Amino acid sequence: MAVPPNALKKWEKVRDRAPGLPEAAEDHPWGETVAEVDKKVVVRLGVVDGGHPLGVTVKLTDGTVHAHAMTRPGAAPAGYGPGTAGWARVPLEPEGPGAGRGTGRRAAP
């Protein structure tokens, strides 16, 4: 599956900016790109191999910022537990059937 150019540009912006944050560094555990502060992952960028839709998973401890991130289409608390600790998954490209066409809303069956 090809990575949409617009999504890749967004991914690259996050990747370029994250290590510039105070005490942040890029790392590659589990074969994916992450930004860490004090050896703790704060942003997961995943991989850019086209195997999964591009998105970022980010630690958002400020409730207002977290609520704002959730307004992005497709955004959701991260699964498998971290969602309860402020982690949010924000897609960088449309996901699901019919993604990228029209308004992104699904028609009623």
Side-chain angles (χ1 to χ4, degrees):
M1 165 170 36
V3 176
N6 191 38
L8 185 57
K9 285 180 186 177
K10 293 175 190 175
W11 186 93
E12 289 171 340
K13 278 185 178 183
V14 175
R15 180 177 178 235
D16 291 345
R17 189 167 185 165
L21 299 172
E23 301 182 39
E26 184 175 305
D27 197 6
H28 301 276
W30 321 292
E32 66 179 275
T33 302
V34 302
E36 298 179 334
V37 173
D38 292 330
K39 302 282 183 185
K40 293 183 182 179
V41 175
V42 294
V43 178
R44 293 180 66 188
L45 290 139
V47 295
V48 192
D49 64 4
H52 299 283
L54 281 183
V56 297
T57 304
V58 60
K59 175 83 169 177
L60 300 170
T61 56
D62 181 291
T64 302
V65 174
H66 193 276
H68 179 70
M70 292 296 101
T71 65
R72 173 106 171 108
Y80 57 84
T84 60
W87 284 92
R89 165 99 171 114
V90 181
L92 298 177
E93 62 182 282
E95 297 177 335
R101 296 190 307 242
T103 64
R105 295 181 183 169
R106 293 187 179 158

